[in-house]
């Protein structure tokens, strides 16, 4: 197909049981394999669907016959569509002439269609649902005694069919409806009619029949009464009137069978249509390969309308074969002006004319007979006898009045005309149509869609034979558009057993199938031909010189043939001249010899005998083989060289890479070793440095510690020495001071005692004088008052002096200046004036003392300020001390401890200085009496001066004390 760019057809023929269907399946599998596409979608491909539709078609279209346990009772043309690249793009199944009569009529030992038995063997729930049971109880099945098949398990097949239905897209509801229809047909067959008691019309025979009628109506989902009426009555429409006519029981039974047949036929057509929809057709397809599996030639004891149609099909196919193999061949020989002798063959055109000529053919007469209501098969047979009495292909059997014999190409077949008229009528009874159209089951009503108005009104008859003839015509048109290939299936024996080869039977089949004729023609004719150009293109390889331009097409073709040395080609030339020489004398001899002529060169083509093309192809193949060997050798050498070079290059690259890799590894190892050394070196250096640093810092720390300790010891010693000195000085000072105070106390006590004695003596003298004079008394009183005041002032001054002495040593000098109040006896005014003057002096002294006190206060404030500044400095030092490193801290701590030590010393000094200050007023008194003790002055000036210096430090320490 791809090479020639032309659609192909494979016509599989042979008698029933020869293996057509099996061969078709194998062909389909092959085509599916070759043209199938990779299907990764998980969806089933077209070819898979085609293959998987077989079980459905076989269940409803196959039945057991005498010749075949699984005989296809319909013709099938599977059209596989291909796209431009030769991939399957779609498919369609066309069926031809299902054997309807089998639904109602089965002869022993055949069976009805498989689906009926499958349904009876279905799982119990389905059997109950569809109200079926033992097949022996159904009239349509029990006409034959064959119910089961050894090779077929009906219950398994039922499930298998349902699975196949699923695959081809028949859903559960549709499946149920299909099996309901099948069951209804079975029940319908069990409805028997008898003559009615009240009317002449037919009515169900008994309750059993009624029950089946009801069950059938239930399964069809239609009204029971309507069903009964549709079977037993007919409505005749006259001009404006509708007359209901009751049918007699026999006609009612025929009506029943007609209903069963039409329902089954419609069901089968629906299945085919559904499968086609599921498979999907490709309107854009470029090529097709059709596989025709059609019933073979049939000749039984009793041959009816079906055999007539089947044999017509075979005649048509034989004619197609003849046309291709003989007629067209010989026409071409003529056109090409080659030497040939006419090949005799049995042309069946006259048989086809006999059957299908219009008007006047058997089918035309049959249709005519069917259209006349009064026609019977006898009248029809009579008409045939009259019309074809002189036809060489038509024979009237001597012993029969209604049969006729047709001399088919495959043999004579005698047909019984009894049921011809009835079977040819493709009339859907309007009552049946109306009944089932009104069914509540949508599936059933869809099988009988409402007819167009005109069709339903007119009782125009439709002929099955004519319809079939048209179908065949259409099929042949399709086949004519393709390149045909014929497959003849031969049945080895009638026993349906392996290993048995019945020679006569096989010979008969070969004759019937036209195989013998075909072989004869093949040997006599030139089955292979090619245009010069194609021939040269194909076979120039056998004589390459023809391509050098010096040969024309004919010469080139002849040269190729010469060189190819085909058997007898040389002989052809000699013979050719011999024939011409012997002219036409020995025609038969020439025919025979021509038959031996190996090949012919025509005007545009080269004609070859059977097998010669194969021989040429074999030679070409041999040359191509040799060339291929040379090419292969060269190519292999080239490939080997390339492979070797590639290997060499690869190995060099590999070696280089490996070496590089090894060196890289070595280099990496070296780098690692160097890095190790480096790391070791650095780590050792680091460790050594760390150890050295540790040692260094430790020694520095120890040194610092030792040095600090020595320094501290020295400092401590120095401090101790200083403290010792201070203590010694203080002790000495204390002892001197103590001695001085005791002396001073003793002197004062002595002075007071003396002065008291003197004053009392004076007082006594004054009192004595006062007594002498009154004036003196008054003066005496005044003087007493003055004495008291002076005493009071003296006490006051003493207190102030004490206070001043407490405040500062500077007052000592002042104290020294204070005059000693002497108890002066009040003698006169001069003395008073003198006292007053002294008083004034004392007042001035007090004023100057107050000034000094103020100055002292100011000084003390300044020192307080200095002390607070020192305190601030200490705080700052402490803060800084916290920041600096520990060694500095240590230094600071040392400093602080030093200061603390100093502070302690100062405090001690301060404590020691306190009695000296207390002693100051007394010292002033002592100074006021410089004459009594020279040591006093020394004591007063030495330590007190030093302590004056120490005093500020001491005070500072007192302020600092709470801070430390
Ligand atoms: N190639 C084969 N190898 C083995 N058995 C085969 C082969 N072909 C056919 N058969 C057997 O023959 C039987 C009939 O074959 P098949 O149904 O293909 O015949 P058929 O020519 O299609 O008959 P019919 O015209 O009645 O349908 C098959 O059921 C099978 O048992």
């Amino acid at each position: 197909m791809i090479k020639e760019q032309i659609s192909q057809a494979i016509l599989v023929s042979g008698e029933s049981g020869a293996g057509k269907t099996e061969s078709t399946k194998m062909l389909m599998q092959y085509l599916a394999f070759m043209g199938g596409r990779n299907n990764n979608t998980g969806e089933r491909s077209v070819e898979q669907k085609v293959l998987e539709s077989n079980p459905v078609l076989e269940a409803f279209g196959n039945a057991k016959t005498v010749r075949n346990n699984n005989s296809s009772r319909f013709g099938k043309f599977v059209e596989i569509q291909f796209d431009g690249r030769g991939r399957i793009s779609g498919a369609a199944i066309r069926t031809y002439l299902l054997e309807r009569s089998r639904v109602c009529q089965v002869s022993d030992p055949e069976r009805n269609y498989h689906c009926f038995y499958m349904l009876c063997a279905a799982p119990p729930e389905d059997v109950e649902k569809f109200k079926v049971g033992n097949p022996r109880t159904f009239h349509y099945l029990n006409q034959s005694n064959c119910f089961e098949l050894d090779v077929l398990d009906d219950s398994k097949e039922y499930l298998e069919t349902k699975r196949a239905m699923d695959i081809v897209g028949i859903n559960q509801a549709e499946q149920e409806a299909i099996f309901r229809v099948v069951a209804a047909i079975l029940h319908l067959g069990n409805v028997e009619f008898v003559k009615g008691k009240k009317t002449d019309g037919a009515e169900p025979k008994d309750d059993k029949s009624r029950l089946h009628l009801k069950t059938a109506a239930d399964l069809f989902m239609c009204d029971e009464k309507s069903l009964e009426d549709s079977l037993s009555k007919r409505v005749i429409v006259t001009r404006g009137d509708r007359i209901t006519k009751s049918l007699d029981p026999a006609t009612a039974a025929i009506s029943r069978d007609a209903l069963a047949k039409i329902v089954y036929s419609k069901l089968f057509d629906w299945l085919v249509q559904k499968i086609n929809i599921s498979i999907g057709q490709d309107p854009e397809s470029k090529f097709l390969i059709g596989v025709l599996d059609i019933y073979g030639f049939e000749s039984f004891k009793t041959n009816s309308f079906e055999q007539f149609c089947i044999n017509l099909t075979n005649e048509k196919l034989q004619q197609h074969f003849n046309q291709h193999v003989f007629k067209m061949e010989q026409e071409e020989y003529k056109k090409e002006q080659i030497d040939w002798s006419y090949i005799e063959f049995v042309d069946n055109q006259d048989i086809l004319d006999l059957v299908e000529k219009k008007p006047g053919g058997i089918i035309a007469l049959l249709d005519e007979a069917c259209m006349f209501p009064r026609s019977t098969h006898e009248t029809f047979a009579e008409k045939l006898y009259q019309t074809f009495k002189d036809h060489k292909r038509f024979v009237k059997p001597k012993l029969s009045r209604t049969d006729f014999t047709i001399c088919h190409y495959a043999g004579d077949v005698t047909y019984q005309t009894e049921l011809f008229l009835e079977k040819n009528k493709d009339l859907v009874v309007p009552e049946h149509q109306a009944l089932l159209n009104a069914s509540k089951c949508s599936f059933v009503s869809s099988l009988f869609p409402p007819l167009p108005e005109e069709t339903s009104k007119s009782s125009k008859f439709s002929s099955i034979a004519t319809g079939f003839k048209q179908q065949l015509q259409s099929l042949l048109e399709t086949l004519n558009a393709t390149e045909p290939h014929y497959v003849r299936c031969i049945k080895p024996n009638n026993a349906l057993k392996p290993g048995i080869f019945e020679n006569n039977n096989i010979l008969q089949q070969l004759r019937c199938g036209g195989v013998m004729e075909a072989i004869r023609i093949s040997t006599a004719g030139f089955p292979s031909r090619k245009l010069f150009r194609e021939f040269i293109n194909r076979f120039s390889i056998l004589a390459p010189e023809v391509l050098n331009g010096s040969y024309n097409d004919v010469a080139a073709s002849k040269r190729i043939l010469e060189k190819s040395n085909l058997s007898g080609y040389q002989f052809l030339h000699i013979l050719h001249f011999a024939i011409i020489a012997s002219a036409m004398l020995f025609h038969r001899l020439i025919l025979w010899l021509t038959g031996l002529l190996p090949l012919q060169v025509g005007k545009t083509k080269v004609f070859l005998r059977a097998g010669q093309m194969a021989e040429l192809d074999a030679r070409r193949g041999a040359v191509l083989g040799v060339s291929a060997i040379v090419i292969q050798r060269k190519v292999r050498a080239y490939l080997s060289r390339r492979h070797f070079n590639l290997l060499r290059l690869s190995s060099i690259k590999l070696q280089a890479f490996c070496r590089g890799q090894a060196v890289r590894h070595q280099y990496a190892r070296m780098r690692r070793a160097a890095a190790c050394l480096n790391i070791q070196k650095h780590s050792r250096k680091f460790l050594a440095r760390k150890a050295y640093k540790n040692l260094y810092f430790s020694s520095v720390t120890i040194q610092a510690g030792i040095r600090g300790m020595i320094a501290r010891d020295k400092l401590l010693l120095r401090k101790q020495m200083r403290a010792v000195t201070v203590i010694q000085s203080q002790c000495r000072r204390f002892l001197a001071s103590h001695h001085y105070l005791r002396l001073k106390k003793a002197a004062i006590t002595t002075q007071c005692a003396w002065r008291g004695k003197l004053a009392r003596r004076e007082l006594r003298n004054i009192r004595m004088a006062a007594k002498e004079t009154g004036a003196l008394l008054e003066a005496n009183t005044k003087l007493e008052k003055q004495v008291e005041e002076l005493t009071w002032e003296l006490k006051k001054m003493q207190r102030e002096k004490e206070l001043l002495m407490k405040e500062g040593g500077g007052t000592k000098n002042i104290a020294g200046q204070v005059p000693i109040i002497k108890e002066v006896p009040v003698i006169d005014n001069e003395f008073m004036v003198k006292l007053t003057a002294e008083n004034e002096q004392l007042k001035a002294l007090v004023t100057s003392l107050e000034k000094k006190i103020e100055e002292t206060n100011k000084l003390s404030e300044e020192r307080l300020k200095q002390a607070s500044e020192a305190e601030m400095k200490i705080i700052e030092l402490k803060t800084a001390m916290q920041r600096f490193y520990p060694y500095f801290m240590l230094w600071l701590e040392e400093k602080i401890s030093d200061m603390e030590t100093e502070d302690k010393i100062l405090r001690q000094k301060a404590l020691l200085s306190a009695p000296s200050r207390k002693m100051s007023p007394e010292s002033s008194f002592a100074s006021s009496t410089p004459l009594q003790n020279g040591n006093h002055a020394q004591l007063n000036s030495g330590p007190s001066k030093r302590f004056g210096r120490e005093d500020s430090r001491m005070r500072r320490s007192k302020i600092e004390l709470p801070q430390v």
Side-chain angles (χ1 to χ4, degrees):
M1 177 183 76
I2 296 294
K3 217 192 281 173
E4 309 275 334
Q5 293 284 300
I6 183 165
S7 293
Q8 310 284 312
I10 304 166
L11 286 79
V12 186
S13 58
E15 73 171 56
S16 179
K20 297 185 291 293
T21 308
E22 295 297 324
S23 304
T24 305
K25 282 188 212 167
M26 286 175 197
L27 283 166
M28 298 293 299
Q29 278 168 6
Y30 171 76
L31 293 174
F33 176 76
M34 295 301 284
R37 57 182 83 199
N38 287 337
N39 186 4
N40 299 326
T41 55
E43 223 179 87
R44 281 187 155 74
S45 60
V46 170
E47 56 273 17
Q48 278 173 318
K49 282 184 182 170
V50 172
L51 292 173
E52 282 164 356
S53 67
N54 274 330
V56 181
L57 289 178
E58 287 190 6
F60 288 84
N62 284 26
K64 178 206 174 335
T65 62
V66 190
R67 296 181 170 203
N68 184 359
N69 286 335
N70 186 31
S71 178
S72 308
R73 305 318 297 161
F74 62 99
K76 184 169 73 177
F77 183 65
V78 183
E79 189 181 299
I80 299 176
Q81 294 148 356
F82 292 83
D83 60 17
R85 291 184 303 142
R87 299 266 154 219
I88 293 175
S89 58
I93 299 173
R94 281 191 239 165
T95 54
Y96 300 94
L97 196 70
L98 177 77
E99 189 188 17
R100 295 181 192 191
S101 60
R102 187 169 289 271
V103 177
C104 317
Q105 222 176 8
V106 190
S107 53
D108 200 37
E110 295 192 349
R111 285 208 322 174
N112 209 319
Y113 289 104
H114 294 321
C115 62
F116 293 114
Y117 304 91
M118 285 177 192
L119 187 60
C120 292
E125 61 273 14
D126 282 11
V127 166
E128 201 179 321
K129 186 163 54 177
F130 299 118
K131 296 166 185 162
V132 287
N134 192 338
R136 288 168 182 79
T137 59
F138 294 106
H139 170 64
Y140 284 161
L141 307 183
N142 63 19
Q143 295 167 50
S144 158
N145 285 321
C146 180
F147 296 99
E148 284 107 22
L149 289 176
D150 297 339
V151 288
L152 208 75
D153 182 343
D154 289 316
S155 55
K156 258 193 203 166
E157 290 296 317
Y158 174 76
L159 298 175
E160 186 59 30
T161 305
K162 283 196 75 135
R163 197 187 68 81
M165 282 176 160
D166 285 335
I167 291 167
V168 296
I170 300 171
N171 63 37
Q172 284 302 316
E174 287 168 339
Q175 287 180 28
E176 198 183 314
I178 289 165
F179 285 110
R180 227 166 346 93
V181 168
V182 172
I185 291 170
L186 286 178
H187 284 284
L188 202 63
N190 279 8
V191 180
E192 290 178 67
F193 290 96
V194 288
K195 201 175 172 191
K197 285 165 193 161
K198 292 172 193 164
T199 58
D200 284 348
E203 63 176 27
K205 188 179 160 191
D206 48 20
D207 289 346
K208 212 171 141 193
S209 288
R210 284 207 173 278
L211 182 69
H212 284 294
L213 186 77
K214 185 182 178 313
T215 313
D218 288 347
L219 290 165
F220 278 136
M221 288 190 176
C222 63
D223 182 43
E224 184 192 343
K225 184 76 180 88
S226 304
L227 177 61
E228 188 187 332
D229 288 351
S230 75
L231 297 176
S232 58
K233 288 173 185 161
R234 286 283 170 275
V235 177
I236 299 163
V237 182
T238 56
R239 282 176 213 151
D241 267 351
R242 288 167 65 89
I243 303 161
T244 306
K245 183 190 158 196
S246 296
L247 301 176
D248 60 82
T251 319
I254 290 169
S255 171
R256 174 200 69 194
D257 291 346
L259 177 62
K261 283 190 281 187
I262 193 74
V263 169
Y264 194 82
S265 166
K266 296 252 180 194
L267 174 64
F268 186 76
D269 290 345
W270 183 91
L271 283 169
V272 174
Q273 195 190 353
K274 185 80 188 175
I275 289 167
N276 278 332
I277 291 168
S278 164
I279 295 168
Q281 297 195 37
D282 177 17
E284 312 269 293
S285 66
K286 192 109 194 280
F287 310 111
L288 65 88
I289 294 181
V291 184
L292 182 69
D293 168 19
I294 207 148
Y295 10 64
F297 186 79
E298 286 188 358
S299 175
F300 304 126
K301 250 191 217 164
T302 312
N303 300 295
S304 186
F305 180 72
E306 287 83 12
Q307 279 68 44
F308 176 74
C309 291
I310 287 167
N311 291 339
L312 169 64
T313 310
N314 282 281
E315 288 291 353
K316 287 284 254 184
L317 292 175
Q318 183 61 27
Q319 197 202 31
H320 178 261
F321 179 80
N322 287 346
Q323 288 235 323
H324 271 268
V325 180
F326 305 118
K327 280 188 189 169
M328 281 160 70
E329 286 264 319
Q330 305 208 46
E331 274 165 22
E332 192 162 11
Y333 296 165
K334 255 192 227 166
K335 206 171 78 188
E336 288 286 326
Q337 296 177 357
I338 59 168
D339 293 326
W340 67 290
S341 62
Y342 187 79
I343 303 159
E344 291 285 348
F345 68 94
V346 184
D347 188 357
N348 64 347
Q349 184 57 50
D350 51 351
I351 303 174
L352 289 172
D353 288 344
L354 170 72
V355 176
E356 57 179 14
K357 199 174 170 191
K358 226 177 169 184
I362 294 175
I363 291 175
L365 292 175
L366 180 64
D367 290 350
E368 213 176 279
C370 287
M371 277 187 278
F372 286 111
R374 286 190 198 151
S375 293
T376 60
H377 67 277
E378 284 108 350
T379 57
F380 166 63
E382 196 55 42
K383 183 83 180 166
L384 290 179
Y385 299 150
Q386 280 174 16
T387 313
F388 304 116
K389 63 178 181 222
D390 296 328
H391 203 290
K392 58 177 181 178
R393 296 285 190 171
F394 185 89
V395 180
K396 179 187 175 298
K398 283 178 187 157
L399 299 174
S400 170
R401 287 178 53 219
T402 54
D403 299 350
F404 66 94
T405 303
I406 297 177
C407 304
H408 287 289
Y409 77 97
D412 297 352
V413 180
T414 302
Y415 299 97
Q416 282 73 44
T417 56
E418 274 84 359
L419 296 170
F420 263 56
L421 271 73
E422 188 196 309
K423 287 181 180 177
N424 187 40
K425 286 177 190 168
D426 187 20
L427 185 71
V428 182
V429 179
E431 286 79 4
H432 298 166
Q433 163 78 31
L435 172 85
L436 295 177
N437 180 245
S439 166
K440 284 174 197 145
C441 172
S442 57
F443 175 77
V444 176
S445 63
S446 73
L447 293 179
F448 293 86
L451 295 172
E453 198 76 354
E454 292 165 23
T455 325
S456 58
K457 274 184 188 166
S458 67
S459 57
K460 206 179 173 189
F461 150 79
S462 161
S463 161
I464 286 182
T466 306
F468 183 57
K469 197 177 82 178
Q470 282 161 0
Q471 269 190 319
L472 283 179
Q473 197 53 45
S474 148
L475 171 68
L476 284 165
E477 277 165 19
T478 308
L479 293 179
N480 285 334
T482 63
E483 193 178 316
H485 304 268
Y486 300 92
V487 176
R488 295 276 190 230
C489 295
I490 306 295
K491 190 174 176 179
N493 61 69
N494 284 326
L496 310 178
K497 283 186 179 155
I500 304 169
F501 206 73
E502 293 170 358
N503 291 343
N504 287 335
N505 189 6
I506 288 161
L507 191 63
Q508 181 61 26
Q509 285 179 59
L510 291 173
R511 279 208 182 105
C512 289
V515 179
M516 301 302 282
E517 194 79 347
I519 292 167
R520 196 176 64 79
I521 292 164
S522 286
T523 50
F526 302 91
S528 309
R529 77 218 53 183
K530 281 228 180 283
L531 286 169
F532 289 139
R533 194 75 330 252
E534 285 175 14
F535 185 77
I536 292 164
N537 282 344
R538 190 166 173 80
F539 297 111
S540 60
I541 196 167
L542 300 175
E545 66 273 15
V546 299
L547 297 175
N548 63 12
S550 56
Y551 291 86
N552 62 21
D553 283 353
V554 181
S557 302
K558 284 183 176 171
R559 179 71 192 146
I560 291 167
L561 290 168
E562 264 171 29
K563 272 202 89 177
S564 62
N565 202 18
L566 282 181
S567 51
Y569 183 71
Q570 307 303 332
F571 171 68
L572 170 70
H573 294 284
I574 304 159
L575 189 68
H576 193 65
F577 290 116
I579 290 165
I580 293 163
S582 58
M584 304 298 284
L585 289 174
F586 306 103
H587 184 68
R588 294 298 297 174
L589 176 69
I590 289 164
L591 275 180
W592 179 76
L593 287 171
T594 314
L596 291 177
L597 286 176
L599 52 88
Q600 288 281 331
V601 179
K603 281 172 85 178
T604 61
K605 288 179 185 172
V606 175
F607 290 84
L608 299 168
R609 292 263 178 222
Q612 284 184 330
M613 184 64 85
E615 198 178 331
L616 274 176
D617 273 330
R619 300 239 169 113
R620 180 173 172 268
V623 175
L624 281 175
V626 171
S627 309
I629 289 166
V630 173
I631 292 166
Q632 280 175 357
R633 200 177 62 209
K634 295 275 182 202
V635 170
R636 278 185 193 137
Y638 166 74
L639 289 175
S640 298
R641 205 166 25 253
R642 206 176 62 171
H643 184 62
F644 168 73
N645 283 336
L646 206 71
L647 269 180
R648 200 163 62 114
L649 261 175
S650 308
S651 61
I652 288 167
K653 276 189 182 162
L654 206 66
Q655 282 173 358
F657 176 75
C658 289
R659 281 176 191 144
Q661 199 68 5
V663 171
R664 270 191 292 279
H665 278 309
Q666 197 182 355
Y667 175 67
R669 273 199 302 279
M670 282 163 71
R671 275 188 68 183
R672 265 204 299 277
C676 278
L677 278 177
N678 215 5
I679 291 164
Q680 282 176 358
K681 184 178 81 186
H682 282 285
S683 59
R684 279 180 194 139
K685 189 176 85 181
F686 171 73
L687 291 171
R689 181 175 288 168
K690 201 172 147 191
Y692 167 74
K693 272 188 179 171
N694 281 342
L695 200 69
Y696 172 78
F697 282 117
S698 305
S699 63
V700 167
T701 309
I702 291 163
Q703 280 176 1
I706 292 167
R707 280 177 193 145
M709 196 172 72
I710 293 164
R712 272 191 298 279
D713 284 349
K714 277 182 185 170
L715 180 69
L716 189 65
L717 190 68
R718 212 165 47 232
K719 280 179 184 174
Q720 279 172 350
M721 291 304 290
R722 203 188 297 161
V724 165
T725 313
V726 169
I727 291 163
Q728 282 176 353
S729 76
Q730 288 298 319
C731 282
R732 279 179 197 130
R733 193 186 65 83
F734 176 74
L735 289 171
S737 170
H738 186 68
H739 181 67
Y740 164 71
L741 285 174
R742 279 179 67 194
L743 281 177
K744 196 172 83 173
K745 199 175 172 184
I748 289 168
T749 309
T750 313
Q751 282 177 355
C752 286
W754 180 250
R755 279 176 193 153
K757 195 179 170 182
L758 287 178
R760 271 184 306 271
R761 194 184 289 164
E762 195 80 29
L763 184 62
R764 245 178 349 253
N765 291 336
I766 292 166
R767 272 177 189 170
M768 293 272 296
K771 277 174 189 176
E772 288 174 355
T773 64
L776 282 174
L777 277 171
E778 206 178 350
N780 189 30
T781 312
K782 277 183 187 176
L783 279 172
E784 277 178 359
K785 274 183 188 173
Q786 280 178 352
V787 168
E788 275 173 12
E789 277 173 9
L790 283 169
T791 312
W792 181 81
E793 274 182 1
L794 180 68
K795 280 180 186 173
K796 191 181 165 190
M797 281 176 72
Q798 277 176 346
R799 273 201 305 276
E800 280 172 354
K801 272 179 193 174
E802 277 172 10
L803 277 168
L804 284 167
M805 285 308 285
K806 273 180 195 171
E807 288 300 318
T811 52
K812 280 180 252 170
N813 299 330
I814 300 162
Q817 292 169 13
V818 177
I820 298 161
I821 301 164
K822 290 177 184 176
E823 285 184 20
V824 182
V826 181
I827 304 165
D828 55 20
N829 286 334
E830 279 178 30
F831 184 68
M832 284 301 286
V833 171
K834 196 180 170 187
L835 281 173
T836 307
E838 273 182 8
N839 203 13
E840 285 300 318
Q841 273 181 348
L842 282 170
K843 275 181 187 174
L845 187 69
V846 167
T847 313
S848 71
L849 279 170
E850 277 173 357
K851 277 179 189 171
K852 291 225 173 175
I853 287 164
E854 270 176 23
E855 281 169 11
T856 314
N857 281 339
K858 275 179 191 170
L859 193 69
S860 70
E861 272 172 16
E862 268 174 30
R863 286 183 180 171
L864 206 66
K865 210 183 270 178
Q866 282 172 356
S868 61
E869 279 170 9
E871 190 186 353
M872 289 301 290
K873 275 181 186 172
I874 287 167
I875 291 165
E876 281 172 11
L877 277 169
K878 274 199 166 183
T879 320
M881 188 178 71
Q882 283 168 358
R883 284 179 199 160
F884 295 119
Y885 57 90
Y887 303 105
F888 190 67
M889 287 283 287
L890 270 172
W891 181 79
L892 271 177
E893 277 170 10
E894 273 174 30
K895 278 272 175 198
I896 289 162
S897 67
D898 289 354
M899 283 173 78
E900 281 171 353
T901 320
E902 276 179 24
D903 184 48
K904 277 177 191 171
I905 294 160
L906 284 170
R907 265 191 266 173
Q908 282 170 359
K909 281 180 184 174
L911 285 169
L912 288 168
S913 68
S916 73
R917 272 180 294 172
K918 276 180 190 172
M919 282 186 296
S920 301
E922 285 81 356
S923 66
S924 68
F925 277 104
S927 64
S928 62
T929 53
L931 304 170
Q932 291 175 15
N933 192 349
N935 271 343
H936 186 210
Q938 260 185 349
L939 279 170
N940 203 16
S941 61
S944 66
K945 260 187 192 169
R946 255 193 318 146
F947 277 107
R949 268 202 319 276
E950 294 288 328
D951 190 44
S952 64
R953 285 171 68 187
M954 185 190 75
R955 284 187 188 202
R956 195 161 59 236
S957 302
K958 273 182 184 170
I959 293 159
E960 285 170 3
L961 192 64
Q963 304 296 326
V964 174

